[in-house]
Amino acid sequence: MNRKIQMSETILIGILLAISGGFMDAYSYIFRDHVFANAQTGNIILFGIYLSEGNIHESIKYFWPVIAFAFGIILADFFRYFENKYKLHWRQLSVLIEILIFSVVAFISTEYNLLANSLISLACGIQVESFRKIYSHPIATTMCIGNLRSGTENLYNFLMYRDELSLKKTRLYFGIILCFILGAILGNIFIELFSSKAILMSSIILSIVFVLMFIEEFNPENSIFK
């Protein structure tokens, strides 16, 4: 890859977003009543299970985060549609909204976990739609199943055909998964230390992302895909 790319597609941004992604999922699951912020498949399954049991109260707490996640995707696309009307790049605006959301969630009582989880899922929807590539390769920073599939596929291609590019892609995908796991570990630690305020760590991480994105282009001369 010789062309310049946006900073939002660099591995540095991907690492920071994946750490934040793992952090917010751990926070919502551990501290906010065992609801997934990112893993909407899990929420949909639990919604169906509780609905089949006639437990409407429990099913609702998994239903609204799914709706909020979907709305977050729409909101990110809305930012992109009107990107020329803002002084900020639309992805920077997405990150800024995430920071504000987490700053609000930090002060929401556990009595309102449904609201807190819905807001976190909203932020996740914004992130998953806004950041979809690293070095032009499709990747997710808020979930692992797609990365696991792509990483395993590329590992197979390397083992079968000794394709060096596949090996580099394998490192990328599994590296992002490891960063997501690191985020979850940090989430658990910070919850023990700071309780509801732990989610502010995601705001701090995303603030770094926001600042880095003022670097408009990046020339990946030393990238892993050289």
Side-chain angles (χ1 to χ4, degrees), residues 3 8 36 47 69 72 81 95 104 110 150 157-158 169-170 187-188 194 215:
R3 69 178 183 88
S8 59
F36 295 104
F47 167 72
F69 183 90
Y81 183 78
V95 171
V104 170
T110 52
S150 297
N157 289 335
F158 170 71
K169 290 180 181 180
T170 299
N188 191 29
F194 302 109
I215 304 173

Side-chain angles (χ1 to χ4, degrees), residues 15-25 102 127 183 202 205-206:
I15 287 171
L16 292 171
L17 291 173
I19 292 173
S20 179
F23 194 104
M24 65 180 80
D25 222 7
F102 295 142
Q127 182 169 314
S202 278
I205 294 171
L206 292 174

Side-chain angles (χ1 to χ4, degrees), residues 42-105:
N43 288 336
I44 291 170
I45 290 171
L46 291 169
F47 167 72
I49 290 172
Y50 284 114
L51 193 64
S52 70
E53 295 175 350
N55 192 336
I56 303 301
H57 180 267
E58 282 296 304
S59 66
I60 286 175
K61 80 177 187 181
Y62 296 103
F63 173 76
W64 283 114
V66 175
I67 299 301
F69 183 90
F71 185 74
I73 294 172
I74 294 171
L75 193 58
D77 286 333
F78 177 82
F79 294 154
R80 178 165 48 188
Y81 183 78
F82 290 101
E83 64 177 318
N84 293 329
K85 294 187 178 182
Y86 303 116
K87 293 183 179 180
L88 295 175
H89 189 278
W90 71 274
R91 289 192 178 94
Q92 284 179 299
L93 184 58
S94 294
V95 171
L96 187 59
I97 296 299
E98 282 192 78
I99 294 169
L100 293 175
I101 288 173
F102 295 142
S103 298
V104 170
V105 169

Side-chain angles (χ1 to χ4, degrees), residues 69 73 123-132 139-143:
F69 183 90
I73 294 172
C124 290
I126 293 172
Q127 182 169 314
V128 76
E129 183 67 3
S130 299
F131 299 91
R132 301 169 62 176
I139 204 159
T141 57
T142 62
M143 57 194 75

Side-chain angles (χ1 to χ4, degrees), residues 127-195:
Q127 182 169 314
V128 76
E129 183 67 3
S130 299
F131 299 91
R132 301 169 62 176
K133 295 179 180 179
I134 293 180
Y135 297 141
S136 297
H137 298 287
I139 204 159
T141 57
T142 62
M143 57 194 75
C144 293
I145 187 167
N147 297 337
L148 181 60
R149 182 202 64 79
S150 297
T152 305
E153 178 184 46
N154 280 284
L155 178 60
Y156 170 82
N157 289 335
F158 170 71
L159 294 175
M160 290 295 294
Y161 309 112
R162 298 301 176 187
D163 178 32
E164 291 298 322
L165 180 58
S166 293
L167 177 60
K168 293 174 181 178
K169 290 180 181 180
T170 299
R171 292 171 181 165
L172 173 65
Y173 286 110
F174 284 109
I176 292 297
I177 290 174
L178 288 175
C179 290
F180 190 90
I181 294 171
L182 174 60
I185 293 170
L186 292 174
N188 191 29
I189 293 172
F190 275 77
I191 288 167
E192 291 291 329
L193 295 174
F194 302 109
S195 191

